[in-house]
Amino acid sequence: MLGSNFWHHPLVETAGYFSVVVLCLFVSMILFEVVTKYKNWDEIKKGNVAVALATGGKILGVCNIFRYSINQHTSFIEMLGWGLFGFTLLIFAYFLFEFLTPKFNVDEEIAADNRSVGFISFTISLGLSFVIGASIS
């Protein structure tokens, strides 16, 4: 019989957090694939550095948000809920970035391998993940 101490063992908790965050990261990449006008992994395979930068920023951003959520919450459900809320804010920030750049279309520029736009997308995703992470409680 497994005691309640088993579920609170640091190795079990770490494996649980890791597994859930990897699953959430996988789901977030699918959602980002849906909201962008290009196919992330196809473009990366073709060598599109702008897409790689933008996607890398999203990956780092999502992981950073969950890092904060794991640090700030003692229950698994709270960690998951706040992490998903933070991820939702990151998606909102992506749409806001697109909206606040009326002179050009962010998705089209990234798809065309405009590395400057890809880098700005990277820094927005990563930078805002620190703000989002610090504010989730």
Side-chain angles (χ1 to χ4, degrees):
M1 182 171 151
L2 294 175
S4 64
N5 288 339
F6 174 80
W7 298 111
H8 295 290
H9 190 279
L11 291 176
V12 174
E13 286 182 339
T14 300
Y17 286 136
F18 175 79
S19 300
V20 169
V21 170
V22 167
L23 178 62
C24 288
L25 183 60
F26 181 74
V27 170
S28 70
M29 290 298 100
I30 291 171
L31 290 174
F32 277 123
E33 187 87 20
V34 169
V35 300
T36 56
K37 296 176 183 166
Y38 49 86
K39 299 296 178 202
N40 294 307
W41 303 109
D42 291 344
E43 290 295 322
I44 290 170
K45 185 177 179 182
K46 289 191 267 183
N48 187 324
V49 176
V51 172
L53 284 166
T55 303
K58 293 168 189 165
I59 291 169
L60 284 170
V62 169
C63 289
N64 193 39
I65 288 168
F66 275 99
R67 180 196 75 82
Y68 276 98
S69 190
I70 289 169
N71 278 344
Q72 294 179 10
H73 299 98
T74 56
S75 87
F76 181 78
I77 297 299
E78 282 182 340
M79 178 281 298
L80 184 60
W82 282 105
L84 292 174
F85 178 68
F87 167 69
T88 303
L89 291 175
L90 197 60
I91 286 184
F92 175 73
Y94 178 80
F95 286 121
L96 192 61
F97 175 42
E98 182 77 58
F99 177 74
L100 292 175
T101 53
K103 299 249 183 215
F104 60 88
N105 183 291
V106 172
D107 274 353
E108 288 175 7
E109 292 298 320
I110 291 174
D113 201 14
N114 183 332
R115 295 172 188 183
S116 298
V117 177
F119 182 71
I120 292 298
S121 178
F122 173 90
T123 56
I124 287 172
S125 294
L126 185 58
L128 286 179
S129 75
F130 283 99
V131 175
I132 292 167
S135 66
I136 58 177
S137 58

